[in-house]
Amino acid sequence: MTTTEDLRKKVRDFLASHPFTPRCDSWAGAYDPGFSRELAHAGLLAVSWPEHLGGGGGTAVDRLVVTEELLRAGAPLAAHWVGERQIGPTLLRHGTPELQEEFCPPLARADRTFALGMSEPDAGSDLASLRTSAVRDGDGWRITGRKIWTSGAHLATHLYVLARTSREPDHHDGLTEFIVAMDAPGITVTPILDLRGEHHFNEVALEDVYVPGRWVIGRVGEGWRQVVGQLAFERGGPERFLSTYPLLSAVLTAGLVDDTARRELRALAARLQILRAWVLETARTLDAGGAPVVQAAMSKYLGNRFELSVIEWARPLMPRAIPAVRALYDQALAASPASGIRGGAAQVMLSMIAKDNR
Ligand SMILES: Cc1cc2nc3c(=O)[nH]c(=O)nc-3n(C[C@H](O)[C@H](O)[C@H](O)COP(=O)(O)OP(=O)(O)OC[C@H]3O[C@@H](n4cnc5c(N)ncnc54)[C@H](O)[C@@H]3O)c2cc1C
């Protein structure tokens, strides 16, 4: 049996033999399909999926160990991130065995890549008000609508789409989850540049796009209940507080820490340990088959506050920093406005936590 420490060592050995330039926010901003395939080849992708579907047969806790090491190092993870973090696990929970067999093994090899088509121009925090619709066409479906802020859609092979399949009194009902091939006729991807002028997200227009019936995830009309469970995978992982870790680590290695920074570092270290304990608890709940949505909202909110604190901590030290450390600071700073929005706005996380009456 592989122990946690063996697994951690395996990741560190892999990182030592696969050179890359460390980046902050590497799970969202550093796209390298070759690196993702190498990770898969080394048995470090989809470690929590069943072996017969190309996974490692391990647990969500094993995956946490692997991702923690990769994120701390600032390794390029964006190519496989959405597919491995949440599409595969969603298929394992809700997909038919045929759908799992069709998609999980190529996702586990990083041969297929996913973008997330949830948000729309008039549906972000209130996702259930989305207007993209799917109507039946023989055995399949035709999807028409617009998705926005779709990270990596210009690079992905497939798109996860949440669409309305019927009108119901409660707008949370009548939604369905689909898989769409990005090369299907009727899809137009328009780049949206971020404040750095970088092409990361897009607007995706779907015009009468055909989707085979077998590419429905789970049950027709049950999309809301299913997607809420998916949000635990999306929000509850260590990427919500380790995006700025490469900066923290580089500042320490470069010997930039003065007395004030050293005092503040103790508080940061304590907060980091609390967040680590919290995501470990989340991973254990996932392993037990739960959907810890509120727990995930807490780690996303507190993780985001932690990342902002790391940037504030590093700021006064930057005038003495070498260019490589300064570059990490710039990446962290440029990504910071988005961190409290992507995957769900901070205020919405607070609202969910406040309403939880357990
Ligand atoms: C970098 C980045 C990448 C993204 N990638 C993707 C992607 O790949 N796929 C995808 O589908 N989406 C993606 N998104 C979109 C993201 O999920 C939405 O931006 C987010 O859900 C907020 O929706 P909105 O932008 O429509 O803002 P709105 O919903 O209009 O909210 C604006 C602000 O209003 C406040 N607010 C809204 N509702 C409430 C409430 N109920 N309680 C309290 N305050 C509230 C909050 O302050 C919120 O920030 C991405 C966003 C960013 C920034």
Side-chain angles (χ1 to χ4, degrees):
M1 200 180 73
T2 313
T3 66
T4 300
E5 285 319 303
D6 290 341
L7 196 52
R8 228 177 254 291
K9 181 173 179 318
K10 190 174 169 185
V11 185
R12 287 179 185 170
D13 289 347
F14 174 88
L15 291 171
S17 58
H18 292 78
F20 57 88
T21 304
R23 256 199 72 124
C24 283
D25 208 36
S26 68
W27 61 276
Y31 200 99
D32 183 343
F35 188 90
S36 293
R37 284 194 202 104
E38 289 289 327
L39 261 181
H41 190 65
L44 292 172
L45 217 62
V47 293
S48 60
W49 303 3
E51 288 178 15
H52 76 277
L53 293 170
T59 62
V61 172
D62 292 333
R63 180 182 182 272
L64 173 60
V65 169
V66 172
T67 48
E68 201 178 46
E69 289 300 318
L70 295 171
L71 290 162
R72 278 157 46 134
L77 309 175
H80 66 261
W81 195 257
V82 168
E84 198 261 353
R85 176 184 67 183
Q86 68 195 88
I87 301 301
T90 297
L91 295 178
L92 292 175
R93 288 200 171 186
H94 303 292
T96 60
E98 294 73 27
L99 195 61
Q100 293 173 358
E101 272 161 31
E102 187 172 358
F103 278 91
C104 289
L107 280 173
R109 292 192 302 271
D111 283 343
R112 283 187 186 166
T113 49
F114 264 84
L116 282 180
M118 294 186 188
S119 308
E120 298 187 4
D122 295 316
S125 302
D126 183 16
L127 183 59
S129 63
L130 61 82
R131 294 192 192 148
T132 293
S133 69
V135 292
R136 284 199 190 270
D137 179 6
D139 290 342
W141 296 81
R142 295 267 171 197
I143 301 185
T144 298
R146 278 163 72 206
K147 296 292 178 180
I148 199 166
W149 314 123
T150 324
S151 305
H154 56 304
L155 302 165
T157 60
H158 291 79
L159 180 67
Y160 161 94
V161 171
L162 186 63
R164 181 159 298 290
T165 40
S166 66
R167 305 238 156 253
E168 307 292 341
D170 181 341
H171 70 333
H172 296 92
D173 295 329
L175 298 173
T176 301
E177 297 182 292
F178 294 91
I179 293 174
V180 175
M182 283 305 293
D183 60 1
I187 296 189
T188 310
V189 179
T190 308
I192 303 173
L193 302 186
D194 68 14
L195 57 79
R196 289 164 285 191
E198 289 180 9
H199 179 194
H200 158 73
F201 40 39
N202 306 273
E203 178 160 351
V204 181
L206 300 106
E207 183 64 49
D208 214 25
V209 176
Y210 182 75
V211 177
R214 68 176 194 283
W215 283 9
V216 169
I217 304 174
R219 295 172 60 178
V220 172
E222 290 291 312
W224 184 255
R225 271 166 287 281
Q226 293 177 193
V227 79
V228 166
Q230 192 186 133
L231 294 177
F233 295 110
E234 182 171 0
R235 295 172 178 161
E239 69 272 30
R240 300 301 176 181
F241 59 87
L242 290 179
S243 300
T244 55
Y245 192 90
L247 169 65
L248 179 69
S249 158
V251 166
L252 295 178
T253 310
L256 292 170
V257 177
D258 57 20
D259 285 346
T260 309
R262 190 164 295 107
R263 272 196 302 277
E264 292 169 1
L265 185 61
R266 292 183 193 126
L268 284 178
R271 286 166 68 189
L272 182 59
Q273 284 303 78
I274 293 167
L275 286 161
R276 292 184 72 206
W278 196 239
V279 294
L280 179 60
E281 201 48 43
T282 301
R284 287 184 176 141
T285 309
L286 290 171
D287 277 333
V293 179
V294 175
Q295 205 170 315
M298 289 182 190
S299 53
K300 182 177 186 300
Y301 179 78
L302 294 173
N304 183 221
R305 307 301 306 169
F306 173 79
E307 291 191 335
L308 293 174
S309 297
V310 170
I311 295 170
E312 286 310 309
W313 171 79
R315 189 194 302 273
L317 309 173
M318 285 305 105
R320 291 187 290 115
I322 58 170
V325 179
R326 179 70 208 211
L328 289 167
Y329 175 81
D330 290 347
Q331 291 156 9
L333 187 64
S336 62
S339 302
I341 302 172
R342 63 184 174 191
Q347 291 80 359
V348 175
M349 298 303 104
L350 285 177
S351 178
M352 286 174 64
I353 295 162
K355 285 178 191 159
D356 185 43
N357 288 322
R358 277 174 304 167

